[in-house]
Amino acid sequence: DAGITQSPRHKVTETGTPVTLRCHQTENHRYMYWYRQDPGHGLRLIHYSYGVKDTDKGEVSDGYSVSRSKTEDFLLTLESATSSQTSVYFCAISELGLRTEAFFGQGTRLTVV
Amino acid sequence: QKEVEQNSGPLSVPEGAIASLNCTYSDRGSQSFFWYRQYSGKSPELIMSIYSNGDKEDGRFTAQLNKASQYVSLLIRDSQPSDSATYLCAVAWRGTASKLTFGTGTRLQVTL
């Protein structure tokens, strides 16, 4: 299994509170991604990183921010959580290049009440 | 039109039969294609990648790519109950930092 660890694995939080999810990799891969998965929508890209301090938005980035200060860590922050952000969040990693596969972490189930 | 489309299913096949899963995608130049398997409550697991037209076989799995018709398929031979899962088709387009765009997945049920 690819060395990807997400934390926490489960979290319940209240509307309006900040939340940070962490993705840690031991593979030294350049690219890291945050996806959310919801019924009927599949996996959708939130933000991604192509190197330390290099990040960009995905298709559903509103309400989320990210940071990558080290190759191995990619943080996803919900500045003020809303019920619409209740979802399962997956981190993925890949090496440089179009032909390289992406590997996923175990996921974080976030519930905003 | 969605960029990557799959029939949501469920697709039900008897044990031992061939399961055929299909995916269509929008044409945006050079692409790479991937099939992931996802069991309920688990993370997606890569099972096949294909980059050029034709067939690619790996054990009981065969991926087929037809760029002219813009579809990619996954065949599972000798289907087993353990193959029951959701299968996700994913595409990475050149110039997109290897970002994957996923279909919504097809749920496969292998019956005894």
Side-chain angles (χ1 to χ4, degrees), chain A residues 31 33 35 37 40-43 45 48 90 97-102 104-105, chain B residues 32 34 36 38 42-44 46 49 51 88 92-94 97-100 102:
Chain A
Y31 291 93
Y33 312 85
Y35 286 87
Q37 187 172 38
H41 292 280
L43 282 156
L45 182 66
Y48 68 100
F90 288 102
L98 191 64
R99 285 176 171 252
T100 55
E101 301 94 347
F104 284 80
Chain B
S32 300
F34 307 90
Y36 286 81
Q38 188 175 26
K42 301 296 184 182
S43 60
L46 179 69
S49 59
Y51 306 110
L88 306 172
W93 281 277
R94 184 178 298 281
S98 301
K99 294 179 294 181
L100 293 175
F102 285 85

PDB file of all heavy atoms in Angstrom, chain A residues 31 33 35 37 40-43 45 48 90 97-102 104-105, chain B residues 32 34 36 38 42-44 46 49 51 88 92-94 97-100 102:
ATOM      1  N   TYR A  31       3.068  15.361  -6.473  1.00  0.00           N
ATOM      2  CA  TYR A  31       1.687  15.839  -6.541  1.00  0.00           C
ATOM      3  C   TYR A  31       0.847  15.278  -5.400  1.00  0.00           C
ATOM      4  O   TYR A  31       0.904  14.087  -5.087  1.00  0.00           O
ATOM      5  CB  TYR A  31       1.047  15.429  -7.874  1.00  0.00           C
ATOM      6  CG  TYR A  31       1.618  16.141  -9.064  1.00  0.00           C
ATOM      7  CD1 TYR A  31       2.660  15.604  -9.800  1.00  0.00           C
ATOM      8  CD2 TYR A  31       1.106  17.370  -9.457  1.00  0.00           C
ATOM      9  CE1 TYR A  31       3.182  16.259 -10.892  1.00  0.00           C
ATOM     10  CE2 TYR A  31       1.619  18.035 -10.555  1.00  0.00           C
ATOM     11  CZ  TYR A  31       2.656  17.474 -11.266  1.00  0.00           C
ATOM     12  OH  TYR A  31       3.178  18.133 -12.350  1.00  0.00           O
ATOM     13  N   TYR A  33      -3.319  15.700  -3.799  1.00  0.00           N
ATOM     14  CA  TYR A  33      -4.664  16.153  -4.169  1.00  0.00           C
ATOM     15  C   TYR A  33      -5.626  15.945  -3.001  1.00  0.00           C
ATOM     16  O   TYR A  33      -5.489  14.987  -2.238  1.00  0.00           O
ATOM     17  CB  TYR A  33      -5.201  15.342  -5.363  1.00  0.00           C
ATOM     18  CG  TYR A  33      -4.246  15.207  -6.526  1.00  0.00           C
ATOM     19  CD1 TYR A  33      -3.283  14.199  -6.547  1.00  0.00           C
ATOM     20  CD2 TYR A  33      -4.304  16.078  -7.609  1.00  0.00           C
ATOM     21  CE1 TYR A  33      -2.409  14.058  -7.613  1.00  0.00           C
ATOM     22  CE2 TYR A  33      -3.429  15.950  -8.679  1.00  0.00           C
ATOM     23  CZ  TYR A  33      -2.487  14.936  -8.675  1.00  0.00           C
ATOM     24  OH  TYR A  33      -1.616  14.810  -9.734  1.00  0.00           O
ATOM     25  N   TYR A  35      -9.720  15.371  -2.648  1.00  0.00           N
ATOM     26  CA  TYR A  35     -11.004  15.128  -3.286  1.00  0.00           C
ATOM     27  C   TYR A  35     -12.067  15.000  -2.206  1.00  0.00           C
ATOM     28  O   TYR A  35     -11.796  14.591  -1.093  1.00  0.00           O
ATOM     29  CB  TYR A  35     -10.983  13.820  -4.081  1.00  0.00           C
ATOM     30  CG  TYR A  35     -10.207  13.847  -5.375  1.00  0.00           C
ATOM     31  CD1 TYR A  35      -8.843  13.578  -5.387  1.00  0.00           C
ATOM     32  CD2 TYR A  35     -10.836  14.124  -6.577  1.00  0.00           C
ATOM     33  CE1 TYR A  35      -8.124  13.593  -6.580  1.00  0.00           C
ATOM     34  CE2 TYR A  35     -10.131  14.139  -7.778  1.00  0.00           C
ATOM     35  CZ  TYR A  35      -8.786  13.874  -7.765  1.00  0.00           C
ATOM     36  OH  TYR A  35      -8.079  13.892  -8.947  1.00  0.00           O
ATOM     37  N   GLN A  37     -16.015  13.133  -1.817  1.00  0.00           N
ATOM     38  CA  GLN A  37     -16.881  12.167  -2.468  1.00  0.00           C
ATOM     39  C   GLN A  37     -18.262  12.235  -1.854  1.00  0.00           C
ATOM     40  O   GLN A  37     -18.429  12.063  -0.644  1.00  0.00           O
ATOM     41  CB  GLN A  37     -16.329  10.741  -2.347  1.00  0.00           C
ATOM     42  CG  GLN A  37     -17.111   9.724  -3.160  1.00  0.00           C
ATOM     43  CD  GLN A  37     -16.448   8.369  -3.188  1.00  0.00           C
ATOM     44  OE1 GLN A  37     -15.878   7.913  -2.213  1.00  0.00           O
ATOM     45  NE2 GLN A  37     -16.507   7.689  -4.337  1.00  0.00           N
ATOM     46  N   GLY A  40     -23.965  10.543  -5.837  1.00  0.00           N
ATOM     47  CA  GLY A  40     -24.470  11.205  -7.035  1.00  0.00           C
ATOM     48  C   GLY A  40     -23.483  12.121  -7.721  1.00  0.00           C
ATOM     49  O   GLY A  40     -23.704  12.547  -8.856  1.00  0.00           O
ATOM     50  N   HIS A  41     -22.393  12.453  -7.021  1.00  0.00           N
ATOM     51  CA  HIS A  41     -21.392  13.362  -7.603  1.00  0.00           C
ATOM     52  C   HIS A  41     -20.051  12.682  -7.827  1.00  0.00           C
ATOM     53  O   HIS A  41     -19.204  13.194  -8.551  1.00  0.00           O
ATOM     54  CB  HIS A  41     -21.178  14.576  -6.700  1.00  0.00           C
ATOM     55  CG  HIS A  41     -22.364  15.487  -6.629  1.00  0.00           C
ATOM     56  ND1 HIS A  41     -22.647  16.417  -7.617  1.00  0.00           N
ATOM     57  CD2 HIS A  41     -23.344  15.603  -5.704  1.00  0.00           C
ATOM     58  CE1 HIS A  41     -23.746  17.071  -7.289  1.00  0.00           C
ATOM     59  NE2 HIS A  41     -24.195  16.597  -6.137  1.00  0.00           N
ATOM     60  N   GLY A  42     -19.834  11.578  -7.208  1.00  0.00           N
ATOM     61  CA  GLY A  42     -18.544  10.924  -7.353  1.00  0.00           C
ATOM     62  C   GLY A  42     -17.446  11.710  -6.658  1.00  0.00           C
ATOM     63  O   GLY A  42     -17.689  12.501  -5.740  1.00  0.00           O
ATOM     64  N   LEU A  43     -16.249  11.508  -7.127  1.00  0.00           N
ATOM     65  CA  LEU A  43     -15.083  12.183  -6.570  1.00  0.00           C
ATOM     66  C   LEU A  43     -14.863  13.500  -7.301  1.00  0.00           C
ATOM     67  O   LEU A  43     -14.754  13.535  -8.520  1.00  0.00           O
ATOM     68  CB  LEU A  43     -13.850  11.296  -6.727  1.00  0.00           C
ATOM     69  CG  LEU A  43     -13.718  10.150  -5.741  1.00  0.00           C
ATOM     70  CD1 LEU A  43     -12.858   9.038  -6.315  1.00  0.00           C
ATOM     71  CD2 LEU A  43     -13.118  10.663  -4.434  1.00  0.00           C
ATOM     72  N   LEU A  45     -12.469  17.133  -7.329  1.00  0.00           N
ATOM     73  CA  LEU A  45     -11.212  17.711  -6.881  1.00  0.00           C
ATOM     74  C   LEU A  45     -11.449  19.050  -6.200  1.00  0.00           C
ATOM     75  O   LEU A  45     -12.114  19.938  -6.748  1.00  0.00           O
ATOM     76  CB  LEU A  45     -10.273  17.885  -8.076  1.00  0.00           C
ATOM     77  CG  LEU A  45      -8.890  18.427  -7.776  1.00  0.00           C
ATOM     78  CD1 LEU A  45      -8.098  17.423  -6.926  1.00  0.00           C
ATOM     79  CD2 LEU A  45      -8.145  18.729  -9.071  1.00  0.00           C
ATOM     80  N   TYR A  48      -5.212  21.010  -5.292  1.00  0.00           N
ATOM     81  CA  TYR A  48      -4.089  20.127  -5.485  1.00  0.00           C
ATOM     82  C   TYR A  48      -2.794  20.912  -5.323  1.00  0.00           C
ATOM     83  O   TYR A  48      -2.780  22.145  -5.332  1.00  0.00           O
ATOM     84  CB  TYR A  48      -4.141  19.429  -6.847  1.00  0.00           C
ATOM     85  CG  TYR A  48      -3.946  20.342  -8.034  1.00  0.00           C
ATOM     86  CD1 TYR A  48      -2.714  20.435  -8.669  1.00  0.00           C
ATOM     87  CD2 TYR A  48      -5.010  21.081  -8.535  1.00  0.00           C
ATOM     88  CE1 TYR A  48      -2.544  21.263  -9.762  1.00  0.00           C
ATOM     89  CE2 TYR A  48      -4.853  21.920  -9.634  1.00  0.00           C
ATOM     90  CZ  TYR A  48      -3.620  22.008 -10.248  1.00  0.00           C
ATOM     91  OH  TYR A  48      -3.449  22.817 -11.332  1.00  0.00           O
ATOM     92  N   PHE A  90     -10.894  12.520   0.561  1.00  0.00           N
ATOM     93  CA  PHE A  90      -9.778  11.651   0.226  1.00  0.00           C
ATOM     94  C   PHE A  90      -8.583  12.471  -0.225  1.00  0.00           C
ATOM     95  O   PHE A  90      -8.716  13.410  -1.025  1.00  0.00           O
ATOM     96  CB  PHE A  90     -10.147  10.684  -0.905  1.00  0.00           C
ATOM     97  CG  PHE A  90     -11.084   9.600  -0.505  1.00  0.00           C
ATOM     98  CD1 PHE A  90     -12.433   9.662  -0.835  1.00  0.00           C
ATOM     99  CD2 PHE A  90     -10.627   8.489   0.195  1.00  0.00           C
ATOM    100  CE1 PHE A  90     -13.307   8.652  -0.475  1.00  0.00           C
ATOM    101  CE2 PHE A  90     -11.494   7.472   0.562  1.00  0.00           C
ATOM    102  CZ  PHE A  90     -12.831   7.555   0.223  1.00  0.00           C
ATOM    103  N   GLY A  97       4.062  13.502 -14.032  1.00  0.00           N
ATOM    104  CA  GLY A  97       3.827  12.929 -15.354  1.00  0.00           C
ATOM    105  C   GLY A  97       2.427  12.428 -15.562  1.00  0.00           C
ATOM    106  O   GLY A  97       1.761  11.943 -14.650  1.00  0.00           O
ATOM    107  N   LEU A  98       1.984  12.506 -16.793  1.00  0.00           N
ATOM    108  CA  LEU A  98       0.624  12.139 -17.140  1.00  0.00           C
ATOM    109  C   LEU A  98       0.376  10.644 -16.987  1.00  0.00           C
ATOM    110  O   LEU A  98      -0.736  10.209 -16.744  1.00  0.00           O
ATOM    111  CB  LEU A  98       0.342  12.569 -18.579  1.00  0.00           C
ATOM    112  CG  LEU A  98      -1.118  12.507 -19.044  1.00  0.00           C
ATOM    113  CD1 LEU A  98      -1.964  13.482 -18.256  1.00  0.00           C
ATOM    114  CD2 LEU A  98      -1.190  12.813 -20.529  1.00  0.00           C
ATOM    115  N   ARG A  99       1.433   9.844 -17.136  1.00  0.00           N
ATOM    116  CA  ARG A  99       1.211   8.405 -17.138  1.00  0.00           C
ATOM    117  C   ARG A  99       1.308   7.777 -15.762  1.00  0.00           C
ATOM    118  O   ARG A  99       1.271   6.564 -15.629  1.00  0.00           O
ATOM    119  CB  ARG A  99       2.222   7.737 -18.070  1.00  0.00           C
ATOM    120  CG  ARG A  99       1.881   7.944 -19.527  1.00  0.00           C
ATOM    121  CD  ARG A  99       2.940   7.361 -20.441  1.00  0.00           C
ATOM    122  NE  ARG A  99       2.486   7.389 -21.822  1.00  0.00           N
ATOM    123  CZ  ARG A  99       2.120   6.307 -22.499  1.00  0.00           C
ATOM    124  NH1 ARG A  99       2.176   5.125 -21.929  1.00  0.00           N
ATOM    125  NH2 ARG A  99       1.705   6.410 -23.738  1.00  0.00           N
ATOM    126  N   THR A 100       1.459   8.601 -14.738  1.00  0.00           N
ATOM    127  CA  THR A 100       1.608   8.018 -13.407  1.00  0.00           C
ATOM    128  C   THR A 100       0.262   7.937 -12.721  1.00  0.00           C
ATOM    129  O   THR A 100      -0.566   8.829 -12.822  1.00  0.00           O
ATOM    130  CB  THR A 100       2.575   8.828 -12.552  1.00  0.00           C
ATOM    131  OG1 THR A 100       2.138  10.187 -12.502  1.00  0.00           O
ATOM    132  CG2 THR A 100       3.970   8.782 -13.139  1.00  0.00           C
ATOM    133  N   GLU A 101       0.100   6.843 -12.011  1.00  0.00           N
ATOM    134  CA  GLU A 101      -1.161   6.600 -11.332  1.00  0.00           C
ATOM    135  C   GLU A 101      -1.245   7.396 -10.037  1.00  0.00           C
ATOM    136  O   GLU A 101      -0.245   7.802  -9.475  1.00  0.00           O
ATOM    137  CB  GLU A 101      -1.313   5.113 -11.020  1.00  0.00           C
ATOM    138  CG  GLU A 101      -1.281   4.219 -12.247  1.00  0.00           C
ATOM    139  CD  GLU A 101       0.099   3.669 -12.556  1.00  0.00           C
ATOM    140  OE1 GLU A 101       1.093   4.163 -11.985  1.00  0.00           O
ATOM    141  OE2 GLU A 101       0.169   2.745 -13.396  1.00  0.00           O
ATOM    142  N   ALA A 102      -2.453   7.630  -9.597  1.00  0.00           N
ATOM    143  CA  ALA A 102      -2.683   8.263  -8.309  1.00  0.00           C
ATOM    144  C   ALA A 102      -3.122   7.215  -7.289  1.00  0.00           C
ATOM    145  O   ALA A 102      -3.840   6.278  -7.623  1.00  0.00           O
ATOM    146  CB  ALA A 102      -3.739   9.352  -8.427  1.00  0.00           C
ATOM    147  N   PHE A 104      -4.650   6.608  -3.252  1.00  0.00           N
ATOM    148  CA  PHE A 104      -5.511   7.293  -2.305  1.00  0.00           C
ATOM    149  C   PHE A 104      -5.243   6.898  -0.867  1.00  0.00           C
ATOM    150  O   PHE A 104      -4.873   5.740  -0.579  1.00  0.00           O
ATOM    151  CB  PHE A 104      -6.980   6.995  -2.622  1.00  0.00           C
ATOM    152  CG  PHE A 104      -7.492   7.756  -3.806  1.00  0.00           C
ATOM    153  CD1 PHE A 104      -7.215   7.335  -5.097  1.00  0.00           C
ATOM    154  CD2 PHE A 104      -8.234   8.916  -3.625  1.00  0.00           C
ATOM    155  CE1 PHE A 104      -7.676   8.049  -6.188  1.00  0.00           C
ATOM    156  CE2 PHE A 104      -8.703   9.630  -4.713  1.00  0.00           C
ATOM    157  CZ  PHE A 104      -8.412   9.198  -5.999  1.00  0.00           C
ATOM    158  N   GLY A 105      -5.454   7.856   0.037  1.00  0.00           N
ATOM    159  CA  GLY A 105      -5.467   7.569   1.453  1.00  0.00           C
ATOM    160  C   GLY A 105      -6.782   6.929   1.867  1.00  0.00           C
ATOM    161  O   GLY A 105      -7.670   6.706   1.034  1.00  0.00           O
TER     162      GLY A 105
ATOM    163  N   SER B  32      -4.838   9.965 -20.342  1.00  0.00           N
ATOM    164  CA  SER B  32      -4.522   8.700 -19.691  1.00  0.00           C
ATOM    165  C   SER B  32      -5.775   8.241 -18.983  1.00  0.00           C
ATOM    166  O   SER B  32      -6.562   9.064 -18.506  1.00  0.00           O
ATOM    167  CB  SER B  32      -3.390   8.866 -18.681  1.00  0.00           C
ATOM    168  OG  SER B  32      -2.222   9.338 -19.310  1.00  0.00           O
ATOM    169  N   PHE B  34      -7.762   5.372 -16.269  1.00  0.00           N
ATOM    170  CA  PHE B  34      -7.555   4.511 -15.113  1.00  0.00           C
ATOM    171  C   PHE B  34      -8.883   3.925 -14.661  1.00  0.00           C
ATOM    172  O   PHE B  34      -9.928   4.575 -14.753  1.00  0.00           O
ATOM    173  CB  PHE B  34      -6.932   5.311 -13.959  1.00  0.00           C
ATOM    174  CG  PHE B  34      -5.673   6.047 -14.346  1.00  0.00           C
ATOM    175  CD1 PHE B  34      -5.736   7.343 -14.829  1.00  0.00           C
ATOM    176  CD2 PHE B  34      -4.442   5.438 -14.250  1.00  0.00           C
ATOM    177  CE1 PHE B  34      -4.584   8.025 -15.207  1.00  0.00           C
ATOM    178  CE2 PHE B  34      -3.284   6.104 -14.620  1.00  0.00           C
ATOM    179  CZ  PHE B  34      -3.359   7.404 -15.103  1.00  0.00           C
ATOM    180  N   TYR B  36     -10.520   2.318 -11.168  1.00  0.00           N
ATOM    181  CA  TYR B  36     -10.385   2.115  -9.734  1.00  0.00           C
ATOM    182  C   TYR B  36     -11.551   1.272  -9.241  1.00  0.00           C
ATOM    183  O   TYR B  36     -12.670   1.373  -9.747  1.00  0.00           O
ATOM    184  CB  TYR B  36     -10.398   3.453  -8.988  1.00  0.00           C
ATOM    185  CG  TYR B  36      -9.127   4.256  -9.117  1.00  0.00           C
ATOM    186  CD1 TYR B  36      -8.892   5.042 -10.245  1.00  0.00           C
ATOM    187  CD2 TYR B  36      -8.163   4.236  -8.112  1.00  0.00           C
ATOM    188  CE1 TYR B  36      -7.728   5.780 -10.362  1.00  0.00           C
ATOM    189  CE2 TYR B  36      -6.999   4.969  -8.218  1.00  0.00           C
ATOM    190  CZ  TYR B  36      -6.790   5.736  -9.352  1.00  0.00           C
ATOM    191  OH  TYR B  36      -5.626   6.465  -9.462  1.00  0.00           O
ATOM    192  N   GLN B  38     -13.731   0.441  -5.754  1.00  0.00           N
ATOM    193  CA  GLN B  38     -14.001   0.979  -4.429  1.00  0.00           C
ATOM    194  C   GLN B  38     -15.045   0.131  -3.724  1.00  0.00           C
ATOM    195  O   GLN B  38     -16.199   0.066  -4.152  1.00  0.00           O
ATOM    196  CB  GLN B  38     -14.466   2.441  -4.513  1.00  0.00           C
ATOM    197  CG  GLN B  38     -14.584   3.116  -3.155  1.00  0.00           C
ATOM    198  CD  GLN B  38     -14.931   4.593  -3.261  1.00  0.00           C
ATOM    199  OE1 GLN B  38     -15.533   5.041  -4.225  1.00  0.00           O
ATOM    200  NE2 GLN B  38     -14.533   5.360  -2.247  1.00  0.00           N
ATOM    201  N   LYS B  42     -14.669   2.200   1.777  1.00  0.00           N
ATOM    202  CA  LYS B  42     -13.207   2.152   1.606  1.00  0.00           C
ATOM    203  C   LYS B  42     -12.753   3.180   0.583  1.00  0.00           C
ATOM    204  O   LYS B  42     -13.564   3.835  -0.066  1.00  0.00           O
ATOM    205  CB  LYS B  42     -12.778   0.753   1.156  1.00  0.00           C
ATOM    206  CG  LYS B  42     -13.163  -0.351   2.111  1.00  0.00           C
ATOM    207  CD  LYS B  42     -12.473  -0.196   3.448  1.00  0.00           C
ATOM    208  CE  LYS B  42     -12.781  -1.361   4.365  1.00  0.00           C
ATOM    209  NZ  LYS B  42     -12.141  -1.189   5.703  1.00  0.00           N
ATOM    210  N   SER B  43     -11.445   3.301   0.424  1.00  0.00           N
ATOM    211  CA  SER B  43     -10.898   4.255  -0.534  1.00  0.00           C
ATOM    212  C   SER B  43     -10.748   3.603  -1.905  1.00  0.00           C
ATOM    213  O   SER B  43     -10.684   2.372  -2.017  1.00  0.00           O
ATOM    214  CB  SER B  43      -9.550   4.777  -0.035  1.00  0.00           C
ATOM    215  OG  SER B  43      -8.633   3.717   0.113  1.00  0.00           O
ATOM    216  N   PRO B  44     -10.690   4.404  -2.966  1.00  0.00           N
ATOM    217  CA  PRO B  44     -10.481   3.839  -4.305  1.00  0.00           C
ATOM    218  C   PRO B  44      -9.121   3.152  -4.410  1.00  0.00           C
ATOM    219  O   PRO B  44      -8.108   3.652  -3.910  1.00  0.00           O
ATOM    220  CB  PRO B  44     -10.545   5.074  -5.213  1.00  0.00           C
ATOM    221  CG  PRO B  44     -11.314   6.090  -4.430  1.00  0.00           C
ATOM    222  CD  PRO B  44     -10.929   5.855  -3.007  1.00  0.00           C
ATOM    223  N   LEU B  46      -6.507   1.450  -7.251  1.00  0.00           N
ATOM    224  CA  LEU B  46      -6.196   1.359  -8.674  1.00  0.00           C
ATOM    225  C   LEU B  46      -6.090  -0.101  -9.104  1.00  0.00           C
ATOM    226  O   LEU B  46      -5.399  -0.905  -8.469  1.00  0.00           O
ATOM    227  CB  LEU B  46      -4.872   2.062  -8.957  1.00  0.00           C
ATOM    228  CG  LEU B  46      -4.396   2.028 -10.399  1.00  0.00           C
ATOM    229  CD1 LEU B  46      -5.301   2.887 -11.279  1.00  0.00           C
ATOM    230  CD2 LEU B  46      -2.953   2.500 -10.488  1.00  0.00           C
ATOM    231  N   SER B  49      -4.508   0.689 -15.601  1.00  0.00           N
ATOM    232  CA  SER B  49      -4.245   1.928 -16.319  1.00  0.00           C
ATOM    233  C   SER B  49      -4.050   1.589 -17.790  1.00  0.00           C
ATOM    234  O   SER B  49      -3.582   0.494 -18.116  1.00  0.00           O
ATOM    235  CB  SER B  49      -3.003   2.625 -15.770  1.00  0.00           C
ATOM    236  OG  SER B  49      -1.868   1.784 -15.880  1.00  0.00           O
ATOM    237  N   TYR B  51      -3.087   3.616 -21.723  1.00  0.00           N
ATOM    238  CA  TYR B  51      -2.665   4.887 -22.295  1.00  0.00           C
ATOM    239  C   TYR B  51      -2.805   4.948 -23.815  1.00  0.00           C
ATOM    240  O   TYR B  51      -2.778   6.028 -24.392  1.00  0.00           O
ATOM    241  CB  TYR B  51      -1.198   5.151 -21.935  1.00  0.00           C
ATOM    242  CG  TYR B  51      -0.934   5.065 -20.455  1.00  0.00           C
ATOM    243  CD1 TYR B  51      -0.191   4.018 -19.921  1.00  0.00           C
ATOM    244  CD2 TYR B  51      -1.426   6.024 -19.586  1.00  0.00           C
ATOM    245  CE1 TYR B  51       0.057   3.934 -18.561  1.00  0.00           C
ATOM    246  CE2 TYR B  51      -1.181   5.954 -18.224  1.00  0.00           C
ATOM    247  CZ  TYR B  51      -0.438   4.912 -17.720  1.00  0.00           C
ATOM    248  OH  TYR B  51      -0.196   4.839 -16.382  1.00  0.00           O
ATOM    249  N   LEU B  88     -14.767   2.834 -10.670  1.00  0.00           N
ATOM    250  CA  LEU B  88     -14.645   4.236 -11.071  1.00  0.00           C
ATOM    251  C   LEU B  88     -13.719   4.363 -12.263  1.00  0.00           C
ATOM    252  O   LEU B  88     -12.595   3.848 -12.239  1.00  0.00           O
ATOM    253  CB  LEU B  88     -14.088   5.066  -9.906  1.00  0.00           C
ATOM    254  CG  LEU B  88     -14.827   4.982  -8.580  1.00  0.00           C
ATOM    255  CD1 LEU B  88     -14.038   5.699  -7.489  1.00  0.00           C
ATOM    256  CD2 LEU B  88     -16.213   5.600  -8.708  1.00  0.00           C
ATOM    257  N   ALA B  92      -7.056  11.491 -17.028  1.00  0.00           N
ATOM    258  CA  ALA B  92      -6.132  12.606 -16.813  1.00  0.00           C
ATOM    259  C   ALA B  92      -5.778  13.165 -18.181  1.00  0.00           C
ATOM    260  O   ALA B  92      -5.343  12.424 -19.055  1.00  0.00           O
ATOM    261  CB  ALA B  92      -4.879  12.140 -16.081  1.00  0.00           C
ATOM    262  N   TRP B  93      -6.000  14.471 -18.337  1.00  0.00           N
ATOM    263  CA  TRP B  93      -5.706  15.102 -19.616  1.00  0.00           C
ATOM    264  C   TRP B  93      -4.359  15.781 -19.560  1.00  0.00           C
ATOM    265  O   TRP B  93      -3.945  16.321 -18.522  1.00  0.00           O
ATOM    266  CB  TRP B  93      -6.780  16.139 -19.954  1.00  0.00           C
ATOM    267  CG  TRP B  93      -8.039  15.540 -20.483  1.00  0.00           C
ATOM    268  CD1 TRP B  93      -8.284  15.165 -21.783  1.00  0.00           C
ATOM    269  CD2 TRP B  93      -9.238  15.253 -19.764  1.00  0.00           C
ATOM    270  NE1 TRP B  93      -9.559  14.667 -21.893  1.00  0.00           N
ATOM    271  CE2 TRP B  93     -10.169  14.710 -20.676  1.00  0.00           C
ATOM    272  CE3 TRP B  93      -9.618  15.411 -18.429  1.00  0.00           C
ATOM    273  CZ2 TRP B  93     -11.446  14.311 -20.300  1.00  0.00           C
ATOM    274  CZ3 TRP B  93     -10.887  15.020 -18.044  1.00  0.00           C
ATOM    275  CH2 TRP B  93     -11.786  14.480 -18.971  1.00  0.00           C
ATOM    276  N   ARG B  94      -3.650  15.807 -20.680  1.00  0.00           N
ATOM    277  CA  ARG B  94      -2.360  16.474 -20.768  1.00  0.00           C
ATOM    278  C   ARG B  94      -2.525  17.931 -20.383  1.00  0.00           C
ATOM    279  O   ARG B  94      -3.491  18.589 -20.757  1.00  0.00           O
ATOM    280  CB  ARG B  94      -1.791  16.371 -22.176  1.00  0.00           C
ATOM    281  CG  ARG B  94      -0.406  16.960 -22.324  1.00  0.00           C
ATOM    282  CD  ARG B  94       0.107  16.775 -23.738  1.00  0.00           C
ATOM    283  NE  ARG B  94       0.239  15.367 -24.094  1.00  0.00           N
ATOM    284  CZ  ARG B  94       1.240  14.588 -23.717  1.00  0.00           C
ATOM    285  NH1 ARG B  94       2.212  15.080 -22.980  1.00  0.00           N
ATOM    286  NH2 ARG B  94       1.286  13.321 -24.090  1.00  0.00           N
ATOM    287  N   ALA B  97      -1.744  18.773 -14.837  1.00  0.00           N
ATOM    288  CA  ALA B  97      -1.004  18.415 -13.622  1.00  0.00           C
ATOM    289  C   ALA B  97      -1.421  17.045 -13.089  1.00  0.00           C
ATOM    290  O   ALA B  97      -1.512  16.837 -11.885  1.00  0.00           O
ATOM    291  CB  ALA B  97      -1.189  19.477 -12.542  1.00  0.00           C
ATOM    292  N   SER B  98      -1.719  16.142 -14.015  1.00  0.00           N
ATOM    293  CA  SER B  98      -2.080  14.776 -13.653  1.00  0.00           C
ATOM    294  C   SER B  98      -3.327  14.699 -12.794  1.00  0.00           C
ATOM    295  O   SER B  98      -3.546  13.699 -12.106  1.00  0.00           O
ATOM    296  CB  SER B  98      -0.914  14.071 -12.945  1.00  0.00           C
ATOM    297  OG  SER B  98       0.220  14.046 -13.764  1.00  0.00           O
ATOM    298  N   LYS B  99      -4.143  15.736 -12.801  1.00  0.00           N
ATOM    299  CA  LYS B  99      -5.390  15.672 -12.053  1.00  0.00           C
ATOM    300  C   LYS B  99      -6.313  14.644 -12.690  1.00  0.00           C
ATOM    301  O   LYS B  99      -6.445  14.587 -13.893  1.00  0.00           O
ATOM    302  CB  LYS B  99      -6.084  17.030 -12.059  1.00  0.00           C
ATOM    303  CG  LYS B  99      -5.355  18.129 -11.317  1.00  0.00           C
ATOM    304  CD  LYS B  99      -6.110  19.428 -11.399  1.00  0.00           C
ATOM    305  CE  LYS B  99      -6.165  19.964 -12.810  1.00  0.00           C
ATOM    306  NZ  LYS B  99      -6.880  21.254 -12.898  1.00  0.00           N
ATOM    307  N   LEU B 100      -6.949  13.873 -11.856  1.00  0.00           N
ATOM    308  CA  LEU B 100      -7.901  12.882 -12.337  1.00  0.00           C
ATOM    309  C   LEU B 100      -9.317  13.443 -12.299  1.00  0.00           C
ATOM    310  O   LEU B 100      -9.723  14.037 -11.307  1.00  0.00           O
ATOM    311  CB  LEU B 100      -7.841  11.619 -11.486  1.00  0.00           C
ATOM    312  CG  LEU B 100      -6.550  10.801 -11.561  1.00  0.00           C
ATOM    313  CD1 LEU B 100      -6.603   9.657 -10.570  1.00  0.00           C
ATOM    314  CD2 LEU B 100      -6.349  10.259 -12.972  1.00  0.00           C
ATOM    315  N   PHE B 102     -13.100  12.022 -12.459  1.00  0.00           N
ATOM    316  CA  PHE B 102     -13.759  10.738 -12.260  1.00  0.00           C
ATOM    317  C   PHE B 102     -15.175  10.734 -12.800  1.00  0.00           C
ATOM    318  O   PHE B 102     -15.886  11.751 -12.769  1.00  0.00           O
ATOM    319  CB  PHE B 102     -13.828  10.416 -10.764  1.00  0.00           C
ATOM    320  CG  PHE B 102     -12.530   9.988 -10.165  1.00  0.00           C
ATOM    321  CD1 PHE B 102     -11.615  10.924  -9.723  1.00  0.00           C
ATOM    322  CD2 PHE B 102     -12.217   8.646 -10.050  1.00  0.00           C
ATOM    323  CE1 PHE B 102     -10.407  10.533  -9.173  1.00  0.00           C
ATOM    324  CE2 PHE B 102     -11.014   8.242  -9.506  1.00  0.00           C
ATOM    325  CZ  PHE B 102     -10.111   9.190  -9.067  1.00  0.00           C
TER     326      PHE B 102
END
